[in-house]
Amino acid sequence: MSGTDAESNAGVMPVREGYGFDTAALEGWMAAHVDGFTGPMEVFQFRGGQSNPTFKLVTPGGDYVLRRKPSGQLAKGAHAIDREARVMTALGAQGFPVAKVHGLCTDEAVIGSWFYVMDMVEGRIFWDAAFREVPQDQRAAYLSEMNRVMAALHGYDPEAIGLGDFGRSGNYFERQIARWSKSYLADEDAGRHPDMDRLIDWLPGAVPPGDESAIVHGDYRCDNLIFHPTEPRVVAVLDWELSTIGHPLADFTYHALMYRMPPDIVAGLGDVDPAALGLPTEAEYVAEYCRHTGRDGIPNYDFYIAFNFFRLAAIFHGIKGRAARGQAASAHVEARVAAYPRLVALAVEAMEACRSA
């Protein structure tokens, strides 16, 4: 999860110490696998805090982006850049806005880890969910485009586009609640929070009826999208690391957290009146997604909000535990630890709204 500070996350810089690799070996691989590639090549590193290090490859014929696994011992299933390349390739074949993937390399001898190379997509990334950088009368169009693209993603049949085995189908909420409850309860160093305990007791029995499965992005936010340089049009969706088969309403309502999210935690609108900024309200945004996806509405909407704030709180609880063990130390980590009880409070607020509905 990246921060909300565009200055610290945007742009490129020289490759950080310890992140370099054999450029000549990469050029050889590119020549063999990327149509039209010609050297020489310059390599820069993106500033953003991606868990998979990301590099800009500048060549006479055009620019590319390389995503690689980090070095060192990795947790099983983490940093699965092969999954990123696979889902982007499948979606790109359907005309969905993603960067073109040129190839995946699973030969660690080339640069020391698995990697893939894709096109560099030019455009704008917005770190402010209010889109204050564009004129007020245009902002609603940007939110509508985010909404439309997410609805399009959820409209694909995973089996039909070759992603039927991309994740487990069914019981998504039950599995996620169990996973994050177990993680929370096991991390004694981070301590217990009475409201997290309440959420763990309530969530399993509150899962709405009905089940759905779709390709989900997992971290769909304004700063994970590239917009056209001048138009309110998404030209590429980025950061597919958390994508899987899941419940589309979990994915959409995670995205819709922006309406309640304090902007200092993750890009959000939690401190503003959307209408005053020319933006749709939360209810209008939900209704628009429903129109795109043929739904009459989202019953038990606050359950989904409570679930997503609980999931985020559990992630931040894990960060608190690592900090307590001396395994994580930075201003970024301190901010996450400080934000943890606020996320719990937002989850409880949604839980109470759901229970009183």
Side-chain angles (χ1 to χ4, degrees), residues 76-125:
K76 183 181 178 182
H79 310 285
I81 54 104
D82 51 323
R83 285 177 58 83
E84 289 185 35
R86 182 185 173 194
V87 70
M88 290 170 65
T89 299
L91 290 171
Q94 306 304 311
F96 187 81
V98 288
K100 178 182 177 181
V101 176
H102 289 281
L104 168 72
C105 178
T106 58
D107 180 1
E108 295 186 359
V110 179
I111 67 167
S113 67
W114 291 17
F115 67 90
Y116 68 91
V117 172
M118 59 184 164
D119 276 345
M120 174 79 186
V121 178
E122 297 295 343
R124 295 170 296 166
I125 295 178

mmCIF file of all heavy atoms in Angstrom, residues 76-125:
data_model
loop_
_atom_site.group_PDB
_atom_site.id
_atom_site.type_symbol
_atom_site.label_atom_id
_atom_site.label_comp_id
_atom_site.label_asym_id
_atom_site.label_seq_id
_atom_site.Cartn_x
_atom_site.Cartn_y
_atom_site.Cartn_z
ATOM 1 N N LYS A 76 5.995 -17.557 0.998
ATOM 2 C CA LYS A 76 5.356 -18.355 -0.044
ATOM 3 C C LYS A 76 4.156 -17.620 -0.623
ATOM 4 O O LYS A 76 3.304 -17.128 0.100
ATOM 5 C CB LYS A 76 4.905 -19.693 0.535
ATOM 6 C CG LYS A 76 4.284 -20.628 -0.494
ATOM 7 C CD LYS A 76 3.841 -21.926 0.134
ATOM 8 C CE LYS A 76 3.181 -22.843 -0.903
ATOM 9 N NZ LYS A 76 2.694 -24.098 -0.298
ATOM 10 N N GLY A 77 4.108 -17.520 -1.947
ATOM 11 C CA GLY A 77 2.985 -16.877 -2.606
ATOM 12 C C GLY A 77 3.083 -15.372 -2.713
ATOM 13 O O GLY A 77 2.302 -14.750 -3.432
ATOM 14 N N ALA A 78 4.036 -14.764 -2.013
ATOM 15 C CA ALA A 78 4.157 -13.304 -2.064
ATOM 16 C C ALA A 78 4.942 -12.877 -3.299
ATOM 17 O O ALA A 78 5.712 -13.657 -3.855
ATOM 18 C CB ALA A 78 4.845 -12.794 -0.799
ATOM 19 N N HIS A 79 4.740 -11.646 -3.719
ATOM 20 C CA HIS A 79 5.503 -11.041 -4.824
ATOM 21 C C HIS A 79 5.389 -11.880 -6.102
ATOM 22 O O HIS A 79 6.363 -12.087 -6.819
ATOM 23 C CB HIS A 79 6.971 -10.871 -4.431
ATOM 24 C CG HIS A 79 7.153 -10.195 -3.106
ATOM 25 N ND1 HIS A 79 6.973 -8.844 -2.941
ATOM 26 C CD2 HIS A 79 7.459 -10.694 -1.883
ATOM 27 C CE1 HIS A 79 7.183 -8.535 -1.662
ATOM 28 N NE2 HIS A 79 7.469 -9.634 -1.005
ATOM 29 N N ALA A 80 4.171 -12.363 -6.370
ATOM 30 C CA ALA A 80 3.957 -13.273 -7.503
ATOM 31 C C ALA A 80 3.824 -12.468 -8.791
ATOM 32 O O ALA A 80 2.733 -12.271 -9.322
ATOM 33 C CB ALA A 80 2.726 -14.129 -7.264
ATOM 34 N N ILE A 81 4.962 -12.011 -9.292
ATOM 35 C CA ILE A 81 4.915 -11.182 -10.498
ATOM 36 C C ILE A 81 4.439 -11.983 -11.711
ATOM 37 O O ILE A 81 3.946 -11.408 -12.684
ATOM 38 C CB ILE A 81 6.274 -10.485 -10.766
ATOM 39 C CG1 ILE A 81 7.417 -11.469 -10.825
ATOM 40 C CG2 ILE A 81 6.559 -9.447 -9.693
ATOM 41 C CD1 ILE A 81 7.870 -11.728 -12.212
ATOM 42 N N ASP A 82 4.552 -13.312 -11.661
ATOM 43 C CA ASP A 82 4.020 -14.126 -12.745
ATOM 44 C C ASP A 82 2.491 -14.013 -12.801
ATOM 45 O O ASP A 82 1.901 -14.015 -13.887
ATOM 46 C CB ASP A 82 4.451 -15.584 -12.596
ATOM 47 C CG ASP A 82 4.159 -16.159 -11.215
ATOM 48 O OD1 ASP A 82 4.297 -15.433 -10.206
ATOM 49 O OD2 ASP A 82 3.809 -17.348 -11.123
ATOM 50 N N ARG A 83 1.835 -13.884 -11.638
ATOM 51 C CA ARG A 83 0.388 -13.694 -11.616
ATOM 52 C C ARG A 83 0.018 -12.325 -12.175
ATOM 53 O O ARG A 83 -0.961 -12.196 -12.918
ATOM 54 C CB ARG A 83 -0.148 -13.842 -10.180
ATOM 55 C CG ARG A 83 -0.200 -15.274 -9.689
ATOM 56 C CD ARG A 83 -0.670 -15.355 -8.238
ATOM 57 N NE ARG A 83 -1.980 -14.755 -8.029
ATOM 58 C CZ ARG A 83 -3.151 -15.366 -8.252
ATOM 59 N NH1 ARG A 83 -3.158 -16.610 -8.729
ATOM 60 N NH2 ARG A 83 -4.298 -14.754 -7.999
ATOM 61 N N GLU A 84 0.800 -11.308 -11.819
ATOM 62 C CA GLU A 84 0.551 -9.974 -12.374
ATOM 63 C C GLU A 84 0.600 -10.017 -13.907
ATOM 64 O O GLU A 84 -0.289 -9.491 -14.585
ATOM 65 C CB GLU A 84 1.602 -8.979 -11.880
ATOM 66 C CG GLU A 84 1.503 -8.593 -10.426
ATOM 67 C CD GLU A 84 2.526 -7.511 -10.086
ATOM 68 O OE1 GLU A 84 2.807 -6.650 -10.942
ATOM 69 O OE2 GLU A 84 3.047 -7.530 -8.966
ATOM 70 N N ALA A 85 1.672 -10.610 -14.430
ATOM 71 C CA ALA A 85 1.834 -10.666 -15.885
ATOM 72 C C ALA A 85 0.696 -11.450 -16.527
ATOM 73 O O ALA A 85 0.182 -11.077 -17.587
ATOM 74 C CB ALA A 85 3.180 -11.299 -16.226
ATOM 75 N N ARG A 86 0.274 -12.518 -15.863
ATOM 76 C CA ARG A 86 -0.782 -13.361 -16.429
ATOM 77 C C ARG A 86 -2.121 -12.627 -16.502
ATOM 78 O O ARG A 86 -2.799 -12.647 -17.528
ATOM 79 C CB ARG A 86 -0.930 -14.638 -15.598
ATOM 80 C CG ARG A 86 -1.983 -15.578 -16.154
ATOM 81 C CD ARG A 86 -2.210 -16.792 -15.268
ATOM 82 N NE ARG A 86 -3.336 -17.564 -15.768
ATOM 83 C CZ ARG A 86 -3.939 -18.522 -15.072
ATOM 84 N NH1 ARG A 86 -3.520 -18.827 -13.849
ATOM 85 N NH2 ARG A 86 -4.964 -19.170 -15.592
ATOM 86 N N VAL A 87 -2.526 -11.967 -15.401
ATOM 87 C CA VAL A 87 -3.835 -11.306 -15.400
ATOM 88 C C VAL A 87 -3.829 -10.122 -16.358
ATOM 89 O O VAL A 87 -4.810 -9.879 -17.072
ATOM 90 C CB VAL A 87 -4.251 -10.896 -13.965
ATOM 91 C CG1 VAL A 87 -3.409 -9.751 -13.411
ATOM 92 C CG2 VAL A 87 -5.733 -10.526 -13.923
ATOM 93 N N MET A 88 -2.714 -9.382 -16.435
ATOM 94 C CA MET A 88 -2.648 -8.247 -17.353
ATOM 95 C C MET A 88 -2.702 -8.714 -18.811
ATOM 96 O O MET A 88 -3.345 -8.071 -19.650
ATOM 97 C CB MET A 88 -1.385 -7.435 -17.083
ATOM 98 C CG MET A 88 -1.415 -6.682 -15.768
ATOM 99 S SD MET A 88 0.195 -5.976 -15.362
ATOM 100 C CE MET A 88 0.371 -4.791 -16.679
ATOM 101 N N THR A 89 -2.041 -9.814 -19.119
ATOM 102 C CA THR A 89 -2.062 -10.341 -20.479
ATOM 103 C C THR A 89 -3.476 -10.774 -20.861
ATOM 104 O O THR A 89 -3.968 -10.474 -21.962
ATOM 105 C CB THR A 89 -1.084 -11.517 -20.609
ATOM 106 O OG1 THR A 89 0.244 -11.059 -20.319
ATOM 107 C CG2 THR A 89 -1.118 -12.100 -22.006
ATOM 108 N N ALA A 90 -4.151 -11.469 -19.944
ATOM 109 C CA ALA A 90 -5.510 -11.940 -20.221
ATOM 110 C C ALA A 90 -6.482 -10.779 -20.389
ATOM 111 O O ALA A 90 -7.311 -10.770 -21.308
ATOM 112 C CB ALA A 90 -5.976 -12.865 -19.095
ATOM 113 N N LEU A 91 -6.383 -9.779 -19.526
ATOM 114 C CA LEU A 91 -7.290 -8.643 -19.613
ATOM 115 C C LEU A 91 -6.983 -7.763 -20.822
ATOM 116 O O LEU A 91 -7.897 -7.239 -21.472
ATOM 117 C CB LEU A 91 -7.216 -7.820 -18.326
ATOM 118 C CG LEU A 91 -7.806 -8.489 -17.082
ATOM 119 C CD1 LEU A 91 -7.473 -7.680 -15.838
ATOM 120 C CD2 LEU A 91 -9.319 -8.662 -17.219
ATOM 121 N N GLY A 92 -5.693 -7.601 -21.123
ATOM 122 C CA GLY A 92 -5.320 -6.817 -22.298
ATOM 123 C C GLY A 92 -5.893 -7.405 -23.575
ATOM 124 O O GLY A 92 -6.299 -6.671 -24.486
ATOM 125 N N ALA A 93 -5.975 -8.728 -23.635
ATOM 126 C CA ALA A 93 -6.535 -9.389 -24.813
ATOM 127 C C ALA A 93 -8.023 -9.094 -24.978
ATOM 128 O O ALA A 93 -8.569 -9.229 -26.079
ATOM 129 C CB ALA A 93 -6.315 -10.892 -24.722
ATOM 130 N N GLN A 94 -8.669 -8.674 -23.893
ATOM 131 C CA GLN A 94 -10.092 -8.328 -23.945
ATOM 132 C C GLN A 94 -10.317 -6.837 -24.209
ATOM 133 O O GLN A 94 -11.464 -6.379 -24.262
ATOM 134 C CB GLN A 94 -10.773 -8.699 -22.615
ATOM 135 C CG GLN A 94 -10.588 -10.131 -22.178
ATOM 136 C CD GLN A 94 -11.046 -11.119 -23.225
ATOM 137 O OE1 GLN A 94 -12.150 -10.993 -23.760
ATOM 138 N NE2 GLN A 94 -10.203 -12.101 -23.530
ATOM 139 N N GLY A 95 -9.234 -6.075 -24.322
ATOM 140 C CA GLY A 95 -9.367 -4.648 -24.536
ATOM 141 C C GLY A 95 -9.461 -3.844 -23.254
ATOM 142 O O GLY A 95 -9.715 -2.638 -23.297
ATOM 143 N N PHE A 96 -9.239 -4.496 -22.123
ATOM 144 C CA PHE A 96 -9.266 -3.779 -20.847
ATOM 145 C C PHE A 96 -7.994 -2.929 -20.751
ATOM 146 O O PHE A 96 -6.918 -3.340 -21.211
ATOM 147 C CB PHE A 96 -9.324 -4.784 -19.694
ATOM 148 C CG PHE A 96 -9.510 -4.158 -18.341
ATOM 149 C CD1 PHE A 96 -10.771 -3.768 -17.907
ATOM 150 C CD2 PHE A 96 -8.433 -3.952 -17.490
ATOM 151 C CE1 PHE A 96 -10.950 -3.191 -16.655
ATOM 152 C CE2 PHE A 96 -8.596 -3.371 -16.245
ATOM 153 C CZ PHE A 96 -9.860 -2.987 -15.828
ATOM 154 N N PRO A 97 -8.065 -1.726 -20.134
ATOM 155 C CA PRO A 97 -6.896 -0.835 -20.106
ATOM 156 C C PRO A 97 -5.794 -1.278 -19.142
ATOM 157 O O PRO A 97 -5.841 -1.022 -17.942
ATOM 158 C CB PRO A 97 -7.494 0.509 -19.671
ATOM 159 C CG PRO A 97 -8.714 0.165 -18.886
ATOM 160 C CD PRO A 97 -9.262 -1.069 -19.546
ATOM 161 N N VAL A 98 -4.824 -1.981 -19.697
ATOM 162 C CA VAL A 98 -3.616 -2.362 -18.973
ATOM 163 C C VAL A 98 -2.431 -2.160 -19.913
ATOM 164 O O VAL A 98 -2.599 -2.092 -21.129
ATOM 165 C CB VAL A 98 -3.641 -3.839 -18.505
ATOM 166 C CG1 VAL A 98 -4.622 -4.044 -17.370
ATOM 167 C CG2 VAL A 98 -3.954 -4.781 -19.664
ATOM 168 N N ALA A 99 -1.242 -2.052 -19.333
ATOM 169 C CA ALA A 99 -0.040 -1.960 -20.166
ATOM 170 C C ALA A 99 0.189 -3.286 -20.887
ATOM 171 O O ALA A 99 -0.070 -4.359 -20.322
ATOM 172 C CB ALA A 99 1.162 -1.612 -19.299
ATOM 173 N N LYS A 100 0.692 -3.216 -22.114
ATOM 174 C CA LYS A 100 1.006 -4.441 -22.860
ATOM 175 C C LYS A 100 2.193 -5.134 -22.231
ATOM 176 O O LYS A 100 3.252 -4.532 -22.014
ATOM 177 C CB LYS A 100 1.327 -4.098 -24.317
ATOM 178 C CG LYS A 100 1.708 -5.316 -25.145
ATOM 179 C CD LYS A 100 2.067 -4.943 -26.576
ATOM 180 C CE LYS A 100 2.508 -6.178 -27.365
ATOM 181 N NZ LYS A 100 2.879 -5.836 -28.748
ATOM 182 N N VAL A 101 2.040 -6.418 -21.918
ATOM 183 C CA VAL A 101 3.126 -7.222 -21.350
ATOM 184 C C VAL A 101 3.900 -7.866 -22.495
ATOM 185 O O VAL A 101 3.330 -8.567 -23.329
ATOM 186 C CB VAL A 101 2.576 -8.296 -20.397
ATOM 187 C CG1 VAL A 101 3.705 -9.188 -19.893
ATOM 188 C CG2 VAL A 101 1.845 -7.641 -19.216
ATOM 189 N N HIS A 102 5.217 -7.640 -22.524
ATOM 190 C CA HIS A 102 6.045 -8.183 -23.600
ATOM 191 C C HIS A 102 6.603 -9.560 -23.272
ATOM 192 O O HIS A 102 6.887 -10.343 -24.174
ATOM 193 C CB HIS A 102 7.208 -7.226 -23.902
ATOM 194 C CG HIS A 102 6.769 -5.974 -24.579
ATOM 195 N ND1 HIS A 102 6.492 -5.904 -25.922
ATOM 196 C CD2 HIS A 102 6.540 -4.726 -24.085
ATOM 197 C CE1 HIS A 102 6.122 -4.669 -26.245
ATOM 198 N NE2 HIS A 102 6.137 -3.936 -25.147
ATOM 199 N N GLY A 103 6.769 -9.847 -21.999
ATOM 200 C CA GLY A 103 7.293 -11.162 -21.666
ATOM 201 C C GLY A 103 7.575 -11.306 -20.185
ATOM 202 O O GLY A 103 7.819 -10.327 -19.473
ATOM 203 N N LEU A 104 7.517 -12.548 -19.716
ATOM 204 C CA LEU A 104 7.833 -12.913 -18.336
ATOM 205 C C LEU A 104 9.089 -13.773 -18.361
ATOM 206 O O LEU A 104 9.187 -14.703 -19.169
ATOM 207 C CB LEU A 104 6.671 -13.699 -17.719
ATOM 208 C CG LEU A 104 6.928 -14.399 -16.383
ATOM 209 C CD1 LEU A 104 7.035 -13.379 -15.250
ATOM 210 C CD2 LEU A 104 5.814 -15.408 -16.090
ATOM 211 N N CYS A 105 10.036 -13.466 -17.493
ATOM 212 C CA CYS A 105 11.273 -14.253 -17.417
ATOM 213 C C CYS A 105 11.339 -14.946 -16.066
ATOM 214 O O CYS A 105 11.354 -14.283 -15.017
ATOM 215 C CB CYS A 105 12.490 -13.357 -17.611
ATOM 216 S SG CYS A 105 14.065 -14.262 -17.460
ATOM 217 N N THR A 106 11.380 -16.283 -16.084
ATOM 218 C CA THR A 106 11.480 -17.057 -14.851
ATOM 219 C C THR A 106 12.880 -17.656 -14.671
ATOM 220 O O THR A 106 13.080 -18.513 -13.821
ATOM 221 C CB THR A 106 10.429 -18.182 -14.841
ATOM 222 O OG1 THR A 106 10.619 -19.022 -15.984
ATOM 223 C CG2 THR A 106 9.016 -17.609 -14.880
ATOM 224 N N ASP A 107 13.821 -17.173 -15.486
ATOM 225 C CA ASP A 107 15.223 -17.614 -15.375
ATOM 226 C C ASP A 107 15.973 -16.626 -14.481
ATOM 227 O O ASP A 107 16.307 -15.517 -14.903
ATOM 228 C CB ASP A 107 15.852 -17.668 -16.766
ATOM 229 C CG ASP A 107 17.309 -18.114 -16.729
ATOM 230 O OD1 ASP A 107 17.828 -18.394 -15.625
ATOM 231 O OD2 ASP A 107 17.934 -18.163 -17.810
ATOM 232 N N GLU A 108 16.211 -17.014 -13.248
ATOM 233 C CA GLU A 108 16.850 -16.102 -12.297
ATOM 234 C C GLU A 108 18.281 -15.750 -12.684
ATOM 235 O O GLU A 108 18.852 -14.801 -12.149
ATOM 236 C CB GLU A 108 16.817 -16.706 -10.890
ATOM 237 C CG GLU A 108 15.399 -16.846 -10.334
ATOM 238 C CD GLU A 108 15.387 -17.308 -8.894
ATOM 239 O OE1 GLU A 108 16.473 -17.533 -8.320
ATOM 240 O OE2 GLU A 108 14.277 -17.437 -8.337
ATOM 241 N N ALA A 109 18.848 -16.479 -13.621
ATOM 242 C CA ALA A 109 20.227 -16.203 -14.032
ATOM 243 C C ALA A 109 20.349 -14.882 -14.789
ATOM 244 O O ALA A 109 21.445 -14.325 -14.890
ATOM 245 C CB ALA A 109 20.751 -17.347 -14.906
ATOM 246 N N VAL A 110 19.244 -14.358 -15.314
ATOM 247 C CA VAL A 110 19.324 -13.143 -16.127
ATOM 248 C C VAL A 110 19.608 -11.928 -15.244
ATOM 249 O O VAL A 110 20.623 -11.237 -15.427
ATOM 250 C CB VAL A 110 18.035 -12.941 -16.959
ATOM 251 C CG1 VAL A 110 18.127 -11.653 -17.774
ATOM 252 C CG2 VAL A 110 17.810 -14.134 -17.888
ATOM 253 N N ILE A 111 18.723 -11.638 -14.275
ATOM 254 C CA ILE A 111 18.973 -10.471 -13.411
ATOM 255 C C ILE A 111 18.902 -10.822 -11.919
ATOM 256 O O ILE A 111 18.926 -9.934 -11.072
ATOM 257 C CB ILE A 111 17.997 -9.304 -13.707
ATOM 258 C CG1 ILE A 111 16.564 -9.669 -13.322
ATOM 259 C CG2 ILE A 111 18.083 -8.860 -15.164
ATOM 260 C CD1 ILE A 111 15.623 -8.458 -13.285
ATOM 261 N N GLY A 112 18.803 -12.129 -11.612
ATOM 262 C CA GLY A 112 18.813 -12.529 -10.209
ATOM 263 C C GLY A 112 17.447 -12.815 -9.623
ATOM 264 O O GLY A 112 17.351 -13.231 -8.453
ATOM 265 N N SER A 113 16.382 -12.604 -10.389
ATOM 266 C CA SER A 113 15.032 -12.906 -9.919
ATOM 267 C C SER A 113 14.102 -12.946 -11.119
ATOM 268 O O SER A 113 14.455 -12.512 -12.218
ATOM 269 C CB SER A 113 14.540 -11.837 -8.926
ATOM 270 O OG SER A 113 14.369 -10.592 -9.590
ATOM 271 N N TRP A 114 12.903 -13.467 -10.906
ATOM 272 C CA TRP A 114 11.883 -13.419 -11.945
ATOM 273 C C TRP A 114 11.517 -11.961 -12.221
ATOM 274 O O TRP A 114 11.578 -11.116 -11.334
ATOM 275 C CB TRP A 114 10.627 -14.151 -11.502
ATOM 276 C CG TRP A 114 10.758 -15.642 -11.386
ATOM 277 C CD1 TRP A 114 11.912 -16.359 -11.314
ATOM 278 C CD2 TRP A 114 9.682 -16.577 -11.315
ATOM 279 N NE1 TRP A 114 11.629 -17.696 -11.211
ATOM 280 C CE2 TRP A 114 10.267 -17.863 -11.207
ATOM 281 C CE3 TRP A 114 8.299 -16.459 -11.325
ATOM 282 C CZ2 TRP A 114 9.484 -19.013 -11.104
ATOM 283 C CZ3 TRP A 114 7.520 -17.614 -11.224
ATOM 284 C CH2 TRP A 114 8.110 -18.870 -11.127
ATOM 285 N N PHE A 115 11.113 -11.678 -13.464
ATOM 286 C CA PHE A 115 10.670 -10.330 -13.808
ATOM 287 C C PHE A 115 9.784 -10.389 -15.037
ATOM 288 O O PHE A 115 9.724 -11.403 -15.740
ATOM 289 C CB PHE A 115 11.870 -9.405 -14.075
ATOM 290 C CG PHE A 115 12.671 -9.759 -15.313
ATOM 291 C CD1 PHE A 115 12.342 -9.210 -16.548
ATOM 292 C CD2 PHE A 115 13.746 -10.642 -15.240
ATOM 293 C CE1 PHE A 115 13.074 -9.533 -17.691
ATOM 294 C CE2 PHE A 115 14.484 -10.966 -16.377
ATOM 295 C CZ PHE A 115 14.140 -10.409 -17.611
ATOM 296 N N TYR A 116 9.068 -9.293 -15.272
ATOM 297 C CA TYR A 116 8.388 -9.145 -16.560
ATOM 298 C C TYR A 116 8.584 -7.722 -17.056
ATOM 299 O O TYR A 116 8.889 -6.808 -16.282
ATOM 300 C CB TYR A 116 6.902 -9.525 -16.497
ATOM 301 C CG TYR A 116 6.008 -8.624 -15.690
ATOM 302 C CD1 TYR A 116 5.349 -7.542 -16.273
ATOM 303 C CD2 TYR A 116 5.766 -8.872 -14.338
ATOM 304 C CE1 TYR A 116 4.506 -6.722 -15.545
ATOM 305 C CE2 TYR A 116 4.917 -8.077 -13.599
ATOM 306 C CZ TYR A 116 4.284 -7.000 -14.211
ATOM 307 O OH TYR A 116 3.449 -6.186 -13.481
ATOM 308 N N VAL A 117 8.418 -7.559 -18.363
ATOM 309 C CA VAL A 117 8.592 -6.264 -19.015
ATOM 310 C C VAL A 117 7.298 -5.895 -19.723
ATOM 311 O O VAL A 117 6.689 -6.722 -20.407
ATOM 312 C CB VAL A 117 9.765 -6.306 -20.023
ATOM 313 C CG1 VAL A 117 9.823 -5.018 -20.849
ATOM 314 C CG2 VAL A 117 11.086 -6.530 -19.297
ATOM 315 N N MET A 118 6.880 -4.645 -19.532
ATOM 316 C CA MET A 118 5.662 -4.150 -20.179
ATOM 317 C C MET A 118 5.928 -2.768 -20.756
ATOM 318 O O MET A 118 6.956 -2.143 -20.478
ATOM 319 C CB MET A 118 4.512 -4.092 -19.166
ATOM 320 C CG MET A 118 4.778 -3.208 -17.954
ATOM 321 S SD MET A 118 3.415 -3.301 -16.748
ATOM 322 C CE MET A 118 4.208 -2.581 -15.296
ATOM 323 N N ASP A 119 4.987 -2.295 -21.552
ATOM 324 C CA ASP A 119 5.097 -0.955 -22.106
ATOM 325 C C ASP A 119 5.051 0.089 -20.992
ATOM 326 O O ASP A 119 4.387 -0.092 -19.971
ATOM 327 C CB ASP A 119 3.938 -0.674 -23.067
ATOM 328 C CG ASP A 119 4.205 -1.204 -24.468
ATOM 329 O OD1 ASP A 119 5.371 -1.524 -24.773
ATOM 330 O OD2 ASP A 119 3.240 -1.314 -25.252
ATOM 331 N N MET A 120 5.728 1.200 -21.214
ATOM 332 C CA MET A 120 5.594 2.380 -20.367
ATOM 333 C C MET A 120 4.400 3.177 -20.899
ATOM 334 O O MET A 120 4.388 3.595 -22.054
ATOM 335 C CB MET A 120 6.871 3.221 -20.446
ATOM 336 C CG MET A 120 6.795 4.545 -19.725
ATOM 337 S SD MET A 120 7.011 4.369 -17.950
ATOM 338 C CE MET A 120 6.671 6.072 -17.448
ATOM 339 N N VAL A 121 3.386 3.336 -20.074
ATOM 340 C CA VAL A 121 2.178 4.054 -20.485
ATOM 341 C C VAL A 121 2.265 5.493 -19.985
ATOM 342 O O VAL A 121 2.441 5.731 -18.785
ATOM 343 C CB VAL A 121 0.914 3.375 -19.921
ATOM 344 C CG1 VAL A 121 -0.340 4.158 -20.328
ATOM 345 C CG2 VAL A 121 0.819 1.931 -20.415
ATOM 346 N N GLU A 122 2.154 6.435 -20.902
ATOM 347 C CA GLU A 122 2.228 7.848 -20.535
ATOM 348 C C GLU A 122 0.845 8.356 -20.128
ATOM 349 O O GLU A 122 -0.169 7.964 -20.698
ATOM 350 C CB GLU A 122 2.756 8.672 -21.710
ATOM 351 C CG GLU A 122 4.173 8.321 -22.141
ATOM 352 C CD GLU A 122 5.226 8.629 -21.089
ATOM 353 O OE1 GLU A 122 4.920 9.399 -20.152
ATOM 354 O OE2 GLU A 122 6.345 8.102 -21.202
ATOM 355 N N GLY A 123 0.829 9.223 -19.150
ATOM 356 C CA GLY A 123 -0.441 9.787 -18.703
ATOM 357 C C GLY A 123 -0.280 10.408 -17.332
ATOM 358 O O GLY A 123 0.827 10.739 -16.902
ATOM 359 N N ARG A 124 -1.399 10.572 -16.643
ATOM 360 C CA ARG A 124 -1.397 11.232 -15.342
ATOM 361 C C ARG A 124 -1.839 10.273 -14.245
ATOM 362 O O ARG A 124 -2.786 9.493 -14.437
ATOM 363 C CB ARG A 124 -2.355 12.436 -15.362
ATOM 364 C CG ARG A 124 -1.943 13.562 -16.295
ATOM 365 C CD ARG A 124 -3.074 14.585 -16.416
ATOM 366 N NE ARG A 124 -4.249 13.980 -17.050
ATOM 367 C CZ ARG A 124 -5.463 14.540 -17.037
ATOM 368 N NH1 ARG A 124 -5.659 15.684 -16.414
ATOM 369 N NH2 ARG A 124 -6.470 13.941 -17.658
ATOM 370 N N ILE A 125 -1.157 10.343 -13.106
ATOM 371 C CA ILE A 125 -1.568 9.610 -11.909
ATOM 372 C C ILE A 125 -1.984 10.647 -10.872
ATOM 373 O O ILE A 125 -1.250 11.596 -10.597
ATOM 374 C CB ILE A 125 -0.441 8.716 -11.372
ATOM 375 C CG1 ILE A 125 -0.119 7.602 -12.381
ATOM 376 C CG2 ILE A 125 -0.840 8.105 -10.024
ATOM 377 C CD1 ILE A 125 1.020 6.691 -11.964
#
